[in-house]
Amino acid sequence: MSVLPSWQVLSGQSSADALAHTIVWQIRLPRLITALLVGAGLAVAGAVLQNVSRNPLADPYLFGLMAGAGLGATIVSILLPEQLISLALAAFLGALLAVALVFLACVGHRLQKMEVTLLAGVAVSFMLSAISSFILYFAEPFAANRVIFWLMGSLSRTDWHSVMLIAPAVALLLLVALALRRQLDALLLSDESARSVGVNVQRLRLVMLLLTALVTACIVAQCGGIAFVGLMVPHMVRYFMGVTAVPLLLGSALFGAIFMIWVDNLARSLLAMQEIPLGVITSVIGSVFFLLILRRQLQQG
């Protein structure tokens, strides 16, 4: 077997390497860049959620954002013609629905906010996932099977359109979070401490939740549900790089991107001639990680 020179593959100058050129530029490279963006986006979203809620267990999946975005995307995939913008918009509206439900569940509650937001997010996640399952149960079998595999998380559908959809959302969240780094650091102590230095706590939380909902929706619309990345990566970054906003956000973006590339390679190589959904791998790893964090929290409490 002959090995094609890299410059020929990238340039596609001859017909002999036209197929390799197409595979690299239209399949491999978009998938690689999408994996980088998905990992970075989910990790940064998790770091932001953990900071604004002061909840070490916060994650787009546990807050119900993933389930809400999945519900919106499922409705569009099953009931409406599949279009890129409508799918992303429906996923975003579903994520906003999850945010609204979590807020409504927490209003006027006397329990500690950490416990309330986590329980409300888990409850909302189960409820919206159940609605998605109900829709899929009555859908045409082939379409339902395709959506079920996609909701478990996969980069097999990604292309340059996926990159163009996800990249602006991830960049916007990261840039806004870095611009508001002082306010996010002030929230680490308490709401009262943040207000004492002039931070509008409610507006800051609302902006951050909307941006994390946007990033989650764009990712779910293109790649399905990939759980626990936003939980695991920020904790590892805090351990190695610190808890303040700048190293946390930049480290989460870097570590998240590397982690997602590793998971994607694992998903494609574990079984011969078959790809494992990404959400299956991240859920197995993340559930163990979640239990370890929960045990540590209980011991400290």
Side-chain angles (χ1 to χ4, degrees):
M1 179 183 293
S2 61
V3 179
L4 294 172
S6 299
W7 66 270
Q8 287 187 9
V9 172
L10 294 176
S11 61
Q13 292 180 356
S14 66
S15 58
D17 57 89
L19 178 59
H21 175 266
T22 301
I23 292 174
V24 170
W25 283 102
Q26 301 302 322
I27 300 177
R28 298 294 188 186
L29 190 58
R31 181 165 182 155
L32 174 64
I33 296 176
T34 303
L36 290 169
L37 292 171
V38 169
L42 291 176
V44 172
V48 169
L49 286 176
Q50 289 167 16
N51 267 30
V52 298
S53 65
R54 291 194 300 277
N55 185 345
L57 300 177
D59 174 78
Y61 179 78
L62 295 177
F63 260 65
L65 294 178
M66 200 77 73
L71 173 61
T74 299
I75 292 174
V76 170
S77 299
I78 297 297
L79 303 180
L80 299 175
E82 185 175 347
Q83 299 174 359
L84 179 66
I85 299 300
S86 63
L87 189 67
L89 179 60
F92 179 59
L93 294 176
L96 288 183
L97 174 63
V99 172
L101 292 174
V102 171
F103 265 110
L104 288 175
C106 296
V107 169
H109 214 291
R110 295 183 178 180
L111 293 177
Q112 294 181 6
K113 190 167 187 177
M114 176 189 295
E115 299 172 355
V116 174
T117 52
L118 177 62
L119 293 175
V122 171
V124 168
S125 180
F126 275 112
M127 181 182 67
L128 299 182
S129 296
I131 298 175
S132 298
S133 299
F134 180 78
I135 295 173
L136 291 172
Y137 180 77
F138 290 99
E140 191 272 327
F142 178 77
N145 288 335
R146 177 174 57 85
V147 173
I148 288 173
F149 177 83
W150 167 65
L151 284 177
M152 288 189 290
S154 173
L155 296 176
S156 58
R157 294 169 23 124
T158 57
D159 52 20
W160 287 113
H161 294 290
S162 304
V163 175
M164 290 187 289
L165 178 68
I166 298 174
V170 174
L172 180 62
L173 173 61
L174 183 58
L175 291 175
V176 172
L178 288 173
L180 299 175
R181 58 190 180 277
R182 299 181 189 276
Q183 291 89 326
L184 291 174
D185 286 338
L187 274 180
L188 291 176
L189 298 177
S190 67
D191 288 4
E192 291 73 18
S193 299
R195 290 191 186 98
S196 67
V197 294
V199 177
N200 189 325
V201 175
Q202 296 303 322
R203 185 173 63 184
L204 178 62
R205 283 204 173 100
L206 180 60
V207 169
M208 290 294 99
L209 282 173
L210 289 176
L211 289 176
T212 53
L214 174 64
V215 170
T216 303
C218 292
I219 291 174
V220 172
Q222 294 302 299
C223 309
I226 304 174
F228 291 114
V229 177
L231 173 69
M232 295 184 287
V233 174
H235 280 279
M236 292 187 288
V237 172
R238 287 189 185 93
Y239 181 80
F240 290 107
M241 302 180 65
V243 299
T244 54
V246 173
L248 176 63
L249 293 170
L250 296 179
S252 295
L254 176 61
F255 278 58
I258 295 173
F259 176 75
M260 187 52 58
I261 291 177
W262 176 78
V263 171
D264 186 42
N265 287 330
L266 193 63
R268 290 185 286 112
S269 60
L270 278 179
L271 299 179
M273 305 300 293
Q274 189 173 359
E275 181 177 328
I276 301 175
L278 298 180
V280 173
I281 298 176
T282 59
S283 294
V284 170
I285 301 173
S287 58
V288 176
F289 197 91
F290 177 85
L291 291 174
L292 292 175
I293 296 176
L294 183 60
R295 180 179 179 182
R296 187 180 66 180
Q297 292 296 317
L298 292 175
Q299 291 175 343
Q300 292 177 354

mmCIF file of all heavy atoms in Angstrom, residues 181-222:
data_model
loop_
_atom_site.group_PDB
_atom_site.id
_atom_site.type_symbol
_atom_site.label_atom_id
_atom_site.label_comp_id
_atom_site.label_asym_id
_atom_site.label_seq_id
_atom_site.Cartn_x
_atom_site.Cartn_y
_atom_site.Cartn_z
ATOM 1 N N ARG A 181 -15.370 38.372 33.834
ATOM 2 C CA ARG A 181 -14.606 37.514 34.746
ATOM 3 C C ARG A 181 -14.612 38.036 36.181
ATOM 4 O O ARG A 181 -14.666 37.237 37.132
ATOM 5 C CB ARG A 181 -13.175 37.363 34.250
ATOM 6 C CG ARG A 181 -12.410 38.672 34.097
ATOM 7 C CD ARG A 181 -11.091 38.487 33.381
ATOM 8 N NE ARG A 181 -10.344 39.748 33.241
ATOM 9 C CZ ARG A 181 -10.564 40.625 32.280
ATOM 10 N NH1 ARG A 181 -11.516 40.398 31.386
ATOM 11 N NH2 ARG A 181 -9.846 41.731 32.217
ATOM 12 N N ARG A 182 -14.557 39.346 36.359
ATOM 13 C CA ARG A 182 -14.550 39.898 37.716
ATOM 14 C C ARG A 182 -15.882 39.633 38.414
ATOM 15 O O ARG A 182 -15.914 39.310 39.605
ATOM 16 C CB ARG A 182 -14.260 41.399 37.675
ATOM 17 C CG ARG A 182 -12.912 41.745 37.064
ATOM 18 C CD ARG A 182 -12.669 43.248 37.085
ATOM 19 N NE ARG A 182 -11.486 43.624 36.318
ATOM 20 C CZ ARG A 182 -10.256 43.592 36.791
ATOM 21 N NH1 ARG A 182 -10.045 43.195 38.035
ATOM 22 N NH2 ARG A 182 -9.223 43.940 36.035
ATOM 23 N N GLN A 183 -16.978 39.789 37.676
ATOM 24 C CA GLN A 183 -18.285 39.524 38.264
ATOM 25 C C GLN A 183 -18.450 38.043 38.608
ATOM 26 O O GLN A 183 -19.023 37.700 39.643
ATOM 27 C CB GLN A 183 -19.397 39.960 37.299
ATOM 28 C CG GLN A 183 -19.502 41.467 37.119
ATOM 29 C CD GLN A 183 -18.631 41.987 35.996
ATOM 30 O OE1 GLN A 183 -17.553 41.455 35.752
ATOM 31 N NE2 GLN A 183 -19.103 43.028 35.314
ATOM 32 N N LEU A 184 -17.956 37.166 37.734
ATOM 33 C CA LEU A 184 -18.049 35.731 38.011
ATOM 34 C C LEU A 184 -17.215 35.353 39.228
ATOM 35 O O LEU A 184 -17.632 34.509 40.038
ATOM 36 C CB LEU A 184 -17.585 34.940 36.784
ATOM 37 C CG LEU A 184 -18.493 35.008 35.548
ATOM 38 C CD1 LEU A 184 -17.838 34.298 34.370
ATOM 39 C CD2 LEU A 184 -19.852 34.395 35.845
ATOM 40 N N ASP A 185 -16.044 35.963 39.366
ATOM 41 C CA ASP A 185 -15.222 35.694 40.552
ATOM 42 C C ASP A 185 -15.907 36.204 41.822
ATOM 43 O O ASP A 185 -15.826 35.572 42.883
ATOM 44 C CB ASP A 185 -13.852 36.350 40.406
ATOM 45 C CG ASP A 185 -12.962 35.619 39.412
ATOM 46 O OD1 ASP A 185 -13.206 34.417 39.163
ATOM 47 O OD2 ASP A 185 -12.024 36.243 38.879
ATOM 48 N N ALA A 186 -16.589 37.348 41.715
ATOM 49 C CA ALA A 186 -17.283 37.892 42.884
ATOM 50 C C ALA A 186 -18.406 36.975 43.344
ATOM 51 O O ALA A 186 -18.709 36.901 44.543
ATOM 52 C CB ALA A 186 -17.842 39.274 42.560
ATOM 53 N N LEU A 187 -19.016 36.244 42.416
ATOM 54 C CA LEU A 187 -20.110 35.332 42.773
ATOM 55 C C LEU A 187 -19.630 34.111 43.550
ATOM 56 O O LEU A 187 -20.441 33.410 44.160
ATOM 57 C CB LEU A 187 -20.842 34.858 41.517
ATOM 58 C CG LEU A 187 -21.969 35.730 40.974
ATOM 59 C CD1 LEU A 187 -22.565 35.086 39.732
ATOM 60 C CD2 LEU A 187 -23.053 35.927 42.020
ATOM 61 N N LEU A 188 -18.331 33.829 43.509
ATOM 62 C CA LEU A 188 -17.821 32.638 44.181
ATOM 63 C C LEU A 188 -18.044 32.688 45.691
ATOM 64 O O LEU A 188 -18.186 31.642 46.334
ATOM 65 C CB LEU A 188 -16.329 32.457 43.881
ATOM 66 C CG LEU A 188 -15.962 32.078 42.440
ATOM 67 C CD1 LEU A 188 -14.449 32.031 42.271
ATOM 68 C CD2 LEU A 188 -16.580 30.735 42.062
ATOM 69 N N LEU A 189 -18.041 33.881 46.276
ATOM 70 C CA LEU A 189 -18.219 34.012 47.725
ATOM 71 C C LEU A 189 -19.688 33.919 48.107
ATOM 72 O O LEU A 189 -20.113 32.986 48.777
ATOM 73 C CB LEU A 189 -17.606 35.327 48.203
ATOM 74 C CG LEU A 189 -16.092 35.475 47.985
ATOM 75 C CD1 LEU A 189 -15.631 36.850 48.425
ATOM 76 C CD2 LEU A 189 -15.345 34.389 48.750
ATOM 77 N N SER A 190 -20.487 34.881 47.665
ATOM 78 C CA SER A 190 -21.923 34.888 47.971
ATOM 79 C C SER A 190 -22.575 35.970 47.137
ATOM 80 O O SER A 190 -21.913 36.849 46.580
ATOM 81 C CB SER A 190 -22.170 35.143 49.460
ATOM 82 O OG SER A 190 -21.767 36.465 49.817
ATOM 83 N N ASP A 191 -23.913 35.917 47.052
ATOM 84 C CA ASP A 191 -24.642 36.963 46.341
ATOM 85 C C ASP A 191 -24.456 38.312 47.018
ATOM 86 O O ASP A 191 -24.327 39.346 46.351
ATOM 87 C CB ASP A 191 -26.133 36.618 46.280
ATOM 88 C CG ASP A 191 -26.414 35.468 45.324
ATOM 89 O OD1 ASP A 191 -25.453 34.896 44.771
ATOM 90 O OD2 ASP A 191 -27.611 35.146 45.141
ATOM 91 N N GLU A 192 -24.431 38.311 48.345
ATOM 92 C CA GLU A 192 -24.280 39.568 49.083
ATOM 93 C C GLU A 192 -22.923 40.212 48.807
ATOM 94 O O GLU A 192 -22.813 41.427 48.616
ATOM 95 C CB GLU A 192 -24.452 39.324 50.579
ATOM 96 C CG GLU A 192 -25.866 38.947 51.005
ATOM 97 C CD GLU A 192 -26.256 37.534 50.620
ATOM 98 O OE1 GLU A 192 -25.335 36.721 50.329
ATOM 99 O OE2 GLU A 192 -27.457 37.235 50.578
ATOM 100 N N SER A 193 -21.878 39.380 48.770
ATOM 101 C CA SER A 193 -20.546 39.916 48.480
ATOM 102 C C SER A 193 -20.485 40.482 47.064
ATOM 103 O O SER A 193 -19.873 41.528 46.829
ATOM 104 C CB SER A 193 -19.493 38.820 48.640
ATOM 105 O OG SER A 193 -19.468 38.331 49.970
ATOM 106 N N ALA A 194 -21.131 39.793 46.117
ATOM 107 C CA ALA A 194 -21.136 40.280 44.739
ATOM 108 C C ALA A 194 -21.892 41.603 44.631
ATOM 109 O O ALA A 194 -21.447 42.535 43.955
ATOM 110 C CB ALA A 194 -21.755 39.231 43.817
ATOM 111 N N ARG A 195 -23.028 41.706 45.316
ATOM 112 C CA ARG A 195 -23.794 42.954 45.280
ATOM 113 C C ARG A 195 -23.030 44.098 45.933
ATOM 114 O O ARG A 195 -23.149 45.253 45.512
ATOM 115 C CB ARG A 195 -25.142 42.750 45.989
ATOM 116 C CG ARG A 195 -26.112 41.842 45.245
ATOM 117 C CD ARG A 195 -27.510 41.906 45.856
ATOM 118 N NE ARG A 195 -28.399 40.934 45.230
ATOM 119 C CZ ARG A 195 -28.688 39.744 45.732
ATOM 120 N NH1 ARG A 195 -28.135 39.367 46.884
ATOM 121 N NH2 ARG A 195 -29.512 38.918 45.106
ATOM 122 N N SER A 196 -22.237 43.783 46.944
ATOM 123 C CA SER A 196 -21.505 44.844 47.640
ATOM 124 C C SER A 196 -20.447 45.499 46.762
ATOM 125 O O SER A 196 -20.019 46.619 47.032
ATOM 126 C CB SER A 196 -20.846 44.276 48.907
ATOM 127 O OG SER A 196 -19.813 43.352 48.567
ATOM 128 N N VAL A 197 -20.014 44.804 45.692
ATOM 129 C CA VAL A 197 -19.038 45.389 44.770
ATOM 130 C C VAL A 197 -19.691 45.825 43.463
ATOM 131 O O VAL A 197 -19.015 46.047 42.460
ATOM 132 C CB VAL A 197 -17.886 44.401 44.488
ATOM 133 C CG1 VAL A 197 -17.084 44.149 45.741
ATOM 134 C CG2 VAL A 197 -18.412 43.096 43.900
ATOM 135 N N GLY A 198 -21.013 45.922 43.482
ATOM 136 C CA GLY A 198 -21.740 46.480 42.344
ATOM 137 C C GLY A 198 -22.179 45.506 41.280
ATOM 138 O O GLY A 198 -22.540 45.930 40.177
ATOM 139 N N VAL A 199 -22.211 44.210 41.563
ATOM 140 C CA VAL A 199 -22.622 43.216 40.572
ATOM 141 C C VAL A 199 -24.137 43.048 40.611
ATOM 142 O O VAL A 199 -24.719 42.855 41.687
ATOM 143 C CB VAL A 199 -21.937 41.853 40.837
ATOM 144 C CG1 VAL A 199 -22.434 40.809 39.854
ATOM 145 C CG2 VAL A 199 -20.431 41.996 40.746
ATOM 146 N N ASN A 200 -24.765 43.138 39.459
ATOM 147 C CA ASN A 200 -26.194 42.839 39.332
ATOM 148 C C ASN A 200 -26.324 41.318 39.189
ATOM 149 O O ASN A 200 -26.199 40.765 38.092
ATOM 150 C CB ASN A 200 -26.789 43.553 38.123
ATOM 151 C CG ASN A 200 -28.309 43.445 38.066
ATOM 152 O OD1 ASN A 200 -28.876 42.422 38.456
ATOM 153 N ND2 ASN A 200 -28.958 44.487 37.597
ATOM 154 N N VAL A 201 -26.566 40.659 40.299
ATOM 155 C CA VAL A 201 -26.491 39.198 40.347
ATOM 156 C C VAL A 201 -27.527 38.557 39.435
ATOM 157 O O VAL A 201 -27.218 37.636 38.667
ATOM 158 C CB VAL A 201 -26.657 38.701 41.800
ATOM 159 C CG1 VAL A 201 -26.710 37.179 41.834
ATOM 160 C CG2 VAL A 201 -25.512 39.214 42.663
ATOM 161 N N GLN A 202 -28.774 39.015 39.509
ATOM 162 C CA GLN A 202 -29.831 38.393 38.722
ATOM 163 C C GLN A 202 -29.588 38.559 37.225
ATOM 164 O O GLN A 202 -29.770 37.624 36.447
ATOM 165 C CB GLN A 202 -31.185 38.992 39.112
ATOM 166 C CG GLN A 202 -31.601 38.717 40.547
ATOM 167 C CD GLN A 202 -31.649 37.229 40.859
ATOM 168 O OE1 GLN A 202 -32.057 36.412 40.029
ATOM 169 N NE2 GLN A 202 -31.216 36.865 42.063
ATOM 170 N N ARG A 203 -29.169 39.750 36.812
ATOM 171 C CA ARG A 203 -28.908 39.969 35.388
ATOM 172 C C ARG A 203 -27.726 39.138 34.917
ATOM 173 O O ARG A 203 -27.745 38.581 33.802
ATOM 174 C CB ARG A 203 -28.644 41.448 35.137
ATOM 175 C CG ARG A 203 -28.471 41.790 33.647
ATOM 176 C CD ARG A 203 -28.385 43.281 33.424
ATOM 177 N NE ARG A 203 -27.201 43.849 34.075
ATOM 178 C CZ ARG A 203 -26.931 45.144 34.105
ATOM 179 N NH1 ARG A 203 -27.780 46.016 33.566
ATOM 180 N NH2 ARG A 203 -25.832 45.585 34.703
ATOM 181 N N LEU A 204 -26.683 39.026 35.743
ATOM 182 C CA LEU A 204 -25.525 38.220 35.379
ATOM 183 C C LEU A 204 -25.919 36.757 35.196
ATOM 184 O O LEU A 204 -25.529 36.113 34.213
ATOM 185 C CB LEU A 204 -24.446 38.345 36.455
ATOM 186 C CG LEU A 204 -23.178 37.512 36.245
ATOM 187 C CD1 LEU A 204 -22.459 37.932 34.971
ATOM 188 C CD2 LEU A 204 -22.254 37.641 37.455
ATOM 189 N N ARG A 205 -26.698 36.235 36.133
ATOM 190 C CA ARG A 205 -27.145 34.834 36.023
ATOM 191 C C ARG A 205 -27.999 34.636 34.779
ATOM 192 O O ARG A 205 -27.868 33.615 34.084
ATOM 193 C CB ARG A 205 -27.935 34.437 37.274
ATOM 194 C CG ARG A 205 -27.082 34.143 38.486
ATOM 195 C CD ARG A 205 -27.796 33.233 39.474
ATOM 196 N NE ARG A 205 -26.882 32.844 40.542
ATOM 197 C CZ ARG A 205 -26.851 33.391 41.731
ATOM 198 N NH1 ARG A 205 -27.694 34.369 42.037
ATOM 199 N NH2 ARG A 205 -25.991 32.976 42.648
ATOM 200 N N LEU A 206 -28.881 35.564 34.491
ATOM 201 C CA LEU A 206 -29.757 35.424 33.333
ATOM 202 C C LEU A 206 -28.948 35.411 32.039
ATOM 203 O O LEU A 206 -29.175 34.565 31.163
ATOM 204 C CB LEU A 206 -30.777 36.569 33.311
ATOM 205 C CG LEU A 206 -31.765 36.558 32.135
ATOM 206 C CD1 LEU A 206 -32.587 35.271 32.146
ATOM 207 C CD2 LEU A 206 -32.664 37.781 32.185
ATOM 208 N N VAL A 207 -27.985 36.327 31.913
ATOM 209 C CA VAL A 207 -27.155 36.379 30.707
ATOM 210 C C VAL A 207 -26.365 35.087 30.533
ATOM 211 O O VAL A 207 -26.313 34.501 29.441
ATOM 212 C CB VAL A 207 -26.208 37.594 30.757
ATOM 213 C CG1 VAL A 207 -25.161 37.524 29.648
ATOM 214 C CG2 VAL A 207 -27.002 38.889 30.643
ATOM 215 N N MET A 208 -25.773 34.618 31.615
ATOM 216 C CA MET A 208 -24.970 33.406 31.523
ATOM 217 C C MET A 208 -25.817 32.181 31.212
ATOM 218 O O MET A 208 -25.420 31.309 30.432
ATOM 219 C CB MET A 208 -24.203 33.191 32.836
ATOM 220 C CG MET A 208 -23.081 34.190 33.083
ATOM 221 S SD MET A 208 -21.707 34.063 31.892
ATOM 222 C CE MET A 208 -22.096 35.389 30.767
ATOM 223 N N LEU A 209 -27.008 32.102 31.802
ATOM 224 C CA LEU A 209 -27.891 30.970 31.528
ATOM 225 C C LEU A 209 -28.371 30.984 30.082
ATOM 226 O O LEU A 209 -28.457 29.930 29.438
ATOM 227 C CB LEU A 209 -29.085 30.992 32.482
ATOM 228 C CG LEU A 209 -28.807 30.487 33.899
ATOM 229 C CD1 LEU A 209 -30.020 30.714 34.792
ATOM 230 C CD2 LEU A 209 -28.441 29.006 33.892
ATOM 231 N N LEU A 210 -28.683 32.153 29.548
ATOM 232 C CA LEU A 210 -29.108 32.238 28.152
ATOM 233 C C LEU A 210 -27.984 31.820 27.209
ATOM 234 O O LEU A 210 -28.223 31.106 26.221
ATOM 235 C CB LEU A 210 -29.575 33.661 27.834
ATOM 236 C CG LEU A 210 -30.903 34.098 28.450
ATOM 237 C CD1 LEU A 210 -31.181 35.554 28.131
ATOM 238 C CD2 LEU A 210 -32.048 33.215 27.966
ATOM 239 N N LEU A 211 -26.767 32.243 27.505
ATOM 240 C CA LEU A 211 -25.636 31.885 26.644
ATOM 241 C C LEU A 211 -25.318 30.389 26.731
ATOM 242 O O LEU A 211 -25.017 29.755 25.711
ATOM 243 C CB LEU A 211 -24.407 32.709 27.012
ATOM 244 C CG LEU A 211 -24.469 34.194 26.629
ATOM 245 C CD1 LEU A 211 -23.235 34.930 27.133
ATOM 246 C CD2 LEU A 211 -24.609 34.357 25.122
ATOM 247 N N THR A 212 -25.375 29.822 27.929
ATOM 248 C CA THR A 212 -25.148 28.379 28.041
ATOM 249 C C THR A 212 -26.265 27.601 27.360
ATOM 250 O O THR A 212 -26.023 26.543 26.766
ATOM 251 C CB THR A 212 -25.033 27.949 29.515
ATOM 252 O OG1 THR A 212 -26.175 28.411 30.245
ATOM 253 C CG2 THR A 212 -23.776 28.502 30.150
ATOM 254 N N ALA A 213 -27.499 28.122 27.425
ATOM 255 C CA ALA A 213 -28.604 27.486 26.710
ATOM 256 C C ALA A 213 -28.363 27.530 25.206
ATOM 257 O O ALA A 213 -28.631 26.552 24.484
ATOM 258 C CB ALA A 213 -29.929 28.170 27.060
ATOM 259 N N LEU A 214 -27.855 28.659 24.696
ATOM 260 C CA LEU A 214 -27.565 28.786 23.274
ATOM 261 C C LEU A 214 -26.498 27.786 22.839
ATOM 262 O O LEU A 214 -26.658 27.088 21.818
ATOM 263 C CB LEU A 214 -27.103 30.215 22.969
ATOM 264 C CG LEU A 214 -26.619 30.475 21.542
ATOM 265 C CD1 LEU A 214 -27.752 30.271 20.543
ATOM 266 C CD2 LEU A 214 -26.042 31.886 21.427
ATOM 267 N N VAL A 215 -25.402 27.703 23.595
ATOM 268 C CA VAL A 215 -24.326 26.768 23.247
ATOM 269 C C VAL A 215 -24.826 25.328 23.298
ATOM 270 O O VAL A 215 -24.564 24.529 22.383
ATOM 271 C CB VAL A 215 -23.128 26.957 24.199
ATOM 272 C CG1 VAL A 215 -22.108 25.834 24.013
ATOM 273 C CG2 VAL A 215 -22.470 28.306 23.956
ATOM 274 N N THR A 216 -25.559 24.982 24.349
ATOM 275 C CA THR A 216 -26.081 23.624 24.483
ATOM 276 C C THR A 216 -27.007 23.286 23.337
ATOM 277 O O THR A 216 -26.960 22.181 22.780
ATOM 278 C CB THR A 216 -26.822 23.470 25.823
ATOM 279 O OG1 THR A 216 -25.938 23.796 26.892
ATOM 280 C CG2 THR A 216 -27.319 22.040 25.998
ATOM 281 N N ALA A 217 -27.875 24.228 22.959
ATOM 282 C CA ALA A 217 -28.822 23.987 21.877
ATOM 283 C C ALA A 217 -28.112 23.751 20.549
ATOM 284 O O ALA A 217 -28.458 22.826 19.805
ATOM 285 C CB ALA A 217 -29.775 25.176 21.761
ATOM 286 N N CYS A 218 -27.108 24.560 20.252
ATOM 287 C CA CYS A 218 -26.370 24.387 19.002
ATOM 288 C C CYS A 218 -25.658 23.043 18.957
ATOM 289 O O CYS A 218 -25.620 22.367 17.922
ATOM 290 C CB CYS A 218 -25.369 25.529 18.827
ATOM 291 S SG CYS A 218 -26.117 27.145 18.526
ATOM 292 N N ILE A 219 -25.094 22.639 20.085
ATOM 293 C CA ILE A 219 -24.389 21.353 20.137
ATOM 294 C C ILE A 219 -25.362 20.191 19.997
ATOM 295 O O ILE A 219 -25.123 19.247 19.232
ATOM 296 C CB ILE A 219 -23.578 21.249 21.439
ATOM 297 C CG1 ILE A 219 -22.407 22.232 21.404
ATOM 298 C CG2 ILE A 219 -23.067 19.826 21.656
ATOM 299 C CD1 ILE A 219 -21.627 22.320 22.696
ATOM 300 N N VAL A 220 -26.488 20.244 20.725
ATOM 301 C CA VAL A 220 -27.473 19.165 20.636
ATOM 302 C C VAL A 220 -28.064 19.098 19.236
ATOM 303 O O VAL A 220 -28.300 18.007 18.700
ATOM 304 C CB VAL A 220 -28.575 19.358 21.694
ATOM 305 C CG1 VAL A 220 -29.705 18.349 21.489
ATOM 306 C CG2 VAL A 220 -27.999 19.197 23.088
ATOM 307 N N ALA A 221 -28.312 20.250 18.614
ATOM 308 C CA ALA A 221 -28.897 20.263 17.283
ATOM 309 C C ALA A 221 -28.010 19.554 16.266
ATOM 310 O O ALA A 221 -28.504 18.963 15.300
ATOM 311 C CB ALA A 221 -29.152 21.708 16.842
ATOM 312 N N GLN A 222 -26.696 19.580 16.474
ATOM 313 C CA GLN A 222 -25.772 18.975 15.524
ATOM 314 C C GLN A 222 -25.224 17.627 15.971
ATOM 315 O O GLN A 222 -24.951 16.774 15.136
ATOM 316 C CB GLN A 222 -24.599 19.930 15.274
ATOM 317 C CG GLN A 222 -24.988 21.208 14.575
ATOM 318 C CD GLN A 222 -25.643 20.949 13.243
ATOM 319 O OE1 GLN A 222 -25.043 20.362 12.342
ATOM 320 N NE2 GLN A 222 -26.874 21.394 13.077
#
